[in-house]
Amino acid sequence: MDTLFKYASGMALALFAAGLTSCSKSDETAGGVTDIGNSVAQGIVVTEANQPVARARVVAYYDNWDKTSIEDSVVVEADDNGIFSLKFDSTRSVVIYAENGSESGLSRIQKGGDALVMVGHPRRLESRVAEAKSGYMRIVGRSDVATVKSDGSFAFDAMPVGEISLVYVESDQSQARLNFMTAVAGDTLKIPSLENKNEGWLTISDYHYYSGAAYGGIMVNVPDGISVPQDTATPEPVVPDTTAKDTTAVDTTEELAISLNLHMDGSDSVAKVYNNDGSVADSVNYVEGVSGKGILLKVGQFVEVGDIDPCAGDFTMSAWTKWSGYRGDGIYQLLFAEREDWMTGLSRFQLQYEFMTSSFVAVGDGMDLSGYGYAWLAKGNVERGGTLPMNEWSLLVLVNEGGKLYFYINGVLVSNKAGVPFAPKEVAAPLPFRIGGSEVPNDTWNGAIDEVKIESVARSAEWVKAEYEALAK
């Protein structure tokens, strides 16, 4: 079976690492199958806002891109926490479909039998297949099809969200497919013309769709061994830093608009621990830090340092963390955030780890992923020895210099050497700056945090390295 979504591979392997404590009703069937399954899939259904969906209907469809219709299905119901369990035949290709009222979503069972299904309102999908004059398009795991017109155009009025395998069928034979993941953007997805010239794959001529970031409302899978468009533009030259920047690991003596050095041991009067409902936390868990004591935030807590705006210009944000990886109740974990309420648009910036994409991401405007407001900084399956070690102290540093981001882990630049273009969302006034979480309980960073610095200056690579070496164990 084709590998789907390199971006999501790490997330699925990390799901349910702590074990599921409750199960839904299972082994119910549809399509005449009574007790298939030599494997068990366990998963959770969540909304696009990352909230569990109680009692969602979940269907495992036996289907694949090289078929022209669904073979069979197994249906179960998620429990009150959105968790489901079902038996399936692991020798056959399976697509998971979930629905809750008018919202629906598609996903795959990953290696290990885990699945995360995100549901949302269906999108309209519009595109065309270049040089095609007939045939139809189908979505793997769904029965509805869209006719390809004489100009190659087609449209689905209600496509589920999530992991989509879009297949072109001609003369009752599946020709090629495009695999992508939907992003939270708009009600209509307009994909440019698709070319059927790549060994069973539909491709898009615009290289932006293969840049590793969500573009045009989708994240496109980059198939192994298949030629896809590349960015042929000449990168901007990297100008050596010749300014006299502080390259030691001590506090700056420069006059900065923002200069916070937080030890996270309870001694920092400017830093207060809050619950997600806005109340001051009456219980804080202080643990052994990288230097003295650090803090291990409980789910639903965050540290707030007041209404400051380091994103008004150059900045450096750094924190030591002893990270524990996936917690089992969310797909985002926030380290830094200048926000008050994401759903009402009162959010300017955040640095987060996404388990859906196994990536560190800087978010300025998460409702429009096509511009500079959404920047991929580092990818890699951290659960398998990738970019961020688990259960040991590591230093994360994010530098913004001239509208470009540079992301370091343990003194090493792991983002693009030329910088990642980024623009925070414009807001009317400064918002609360938070560390380790937000008003959404599941956003809490899963690990100890210590020695946090927030400064309105772009520190050099030499400074970052010295900062790491000063406390590295």
Side-chain angles (χ1 to χ4, degrees):
M1 185 174 65
D2 298 307
T3 300
L4 184 61
F5 304 110
K6 293 180 182 179
Y7 307 120
S9 60
M11 173 279 300
L13 292 172
L15 280 172
F16 316 113
L20 296 173
T21 58
S22 61
C23 294
S24 66
K25 293 184 292 182
S26 62
D27 299 334
E28 297 180 13
T29 59
V33 181
T34 57
D35 188 19
I36 49 180
N38 51 25
S39 294
V40 176
Q42 297 185 108
I44 185 170
V45 183
V46 298
T47 67
E48 290 183 288
N50 191 30
Q51 298 299 310
V53 179
R55 299 297 167 186
R57 179 175 180 266
V58 182
V59 186
Y61 286 112
Y62 291 96
D63 197 3
N64 196 32
W65 85 270
D66 56 0
K67 305 182 186 303
T68 58
S69 62
I70 295 170
E71 288 185 337
D72 223 319
S73 59
V74 179
V75 61
V76 298
E77 183 181 86
D79 65 14
D80 290 338
N81 298 309
I83 295 170
F84 64 88
S85 177
L86 57 83
K87 288 184 179 180
F88 71 102
D89 183 349
S90 61
T91 65
R92 303 163 71 185
S93 178
V94 177
V95 179
I96 301 293
Y97 172 77
E99 63 181 5
N100 179 50
S102 62
E103 297 190 332
S104 61
L106 286 166
S107 184
R108 294 273 186 174
I109 295 176
Q110 305 294 334
K111 293 180 180 179
D114 300 326
L116 173 72
V117 192
M118 183 176 291
V119 298
H121 69 276
R123 271 65 158 159
R124 177 177 171 81
L125 173 66
E126 300 175 0
S127 187
R128 64 183 296 270
V129 180
E131 301 180 5
K133 300 183 182 300
S134 62
Y136 62 89
M137 306 297 294
R138 65 181 295 260
I139 296 172
V140 177
R142 305 304 301 140
S143 58
D144 49 326
V145 300
T147 301
V148 174
K149 299 179 181 179
S150 58
D151 62 353
S153 65
F154 65 90
F156 286 91
D157 289 330
M159 179 191 70
V161 303
E163 300 178 15
I164 308 298
S165 187
L166 182 67
V167 182
Y168 172 49
V169 181
E170 184 182 27
S171 302
D172 292 328
Q173 294 291 326
S174 298
Q175 302 294 316
R177 75 283 200 192
L178 178 75
N179 290 348
F180 62 87
M181 179 181 291
T182 61
V184 186
D187 296 321
T188 300
L189 298 178
K190 295 184 179 181
I191 301 176
S193 181
L194 304 173
E195 298 181 355
N196 182 18
K197 300 178 181 178
N198 237 324
E199 302 179 14
W201 290 93
L202 295 168
T203 55
I204 304 172
S205 60
D206 187 343
Y207 76 89
H208 288 93
Y209 286 87
Y210 300 93
S211 62
Y215 187 81
I218 62 176
M219 290 184 287
V220 179
N221 174 55
V222 181
D224 291 327
I226 300 299
S227 175
V228 297
Q230 302 294 320
D231 183 3
T232 58
T234 302
E236 296 182 17
V238 179
V239 179
D241 183 3
T242 59
T243 59
K245 290 185 179 179
D246 177 14
T247 59
T248 68
V250 299
D251 291 347
T252 178
T253 57
E254 300 175 51
E255 290 294 328
L256 302 177
I258 299 172
S259 180
L260 295 177
N261 186 3
L262 308 174
H263 300 295
M264 309 300 285
D265 59 0
S267 64
D268 308 300
S269 60
V270 68
K272 295 182 179 180
V273 180
Y274 289 86
N275 299 313
N276 66 283
D277 62 1
S279 61
V280 177
D282 56 7
S283 176
V284 180
N285 187 15
Y286 294 106
V287 297
E288 194 66 29
V290 70
S291 176
K293 293 293 184 181
I295 188 172
L296 181 63
L297 294 168
K298 300 177 183 179
V299 175
Q301 290 183 338
F302 56 81
V303 176
E304 188 169 295
V305 295
D307 295 351
I308 62 173
D309 186 16
C311 300
D314 290 354
F315 64 71
T316 299
M317 301 176 188
S318 66
W320 283 88
T321 179
K322 190 174 184 179
W323 193 53
S324 300
Y326 188 76
R327 187 176 47 241
D329 60 357
I331 58 175
Y332 305 104
Q333 288 183 17
L334 274 56
L335 188 59
F336 298 119
E338 184 183 346
R339 65 186 263 181
E340 188 169 281
D341 187 340
W342 180 265
M343 296 304 293
T344 60
L346 294 177
S347 178
R348 177 159 166 76
F349 161 85
Q350 61 193 44
L351 172 64
Q352 64 191 34
Y353 187 83
E354 296 186 351
F355 287 90
M356 285 290 291
T357 59
S358 297
S359 303
F360 280 97
V361 178
V363 182
D365 189 348
M367 305 309 291
D368 180 9
L369 309 189
S370 62
Y372 285 161
Y374 208 90
W376 258 254
L377 301 173
K379 304 187 187 75
N381 190 341
V382 296
E383 299 285 5
R384 294 183 289 178
T387 55
L388 179 60
M390 290 178 58
N391 301 316
E392 60 183 74
W393 284 103
S394 298
L395 177 64
L396 305 184
V397 181
L398 181 64
V399 177
N400 179 40
E401 184 168 19
K404 291 185 177 182
L405 296 179
Y406 302 85
F407 187 57
Y408 300 80
I409 297 179
N410 290 337
V412 177
L413 180 67
V414 294
S415 59
N416 192 302
K417 293 181 180 179
V420 183
F422 179 78
K425 183 178 180 179
E426 292 297 327
V427 293
L431 298 171
F433 193 91
R434 296 167 175 174
I435 301 163
S438 74
E439 76 283 355
V440 179
N442 293 350
D443 285 350
T444 307
W445 185 260
N446 187 26
I449 302 173
D450 197 7
E451 300 302 316
V452 175
K453 291 186 178 181
I454 305 165
E455 302 176 314
S456 54
V457 64
R459 295 298 188 185
S460 67
E462 292 80 11
W463 184 93
V464 174
K465 183 178 180 180
E467 189 82 352
Y468 170 67
E469 291 178 346
L471 293 176
K473 295 183 178 180

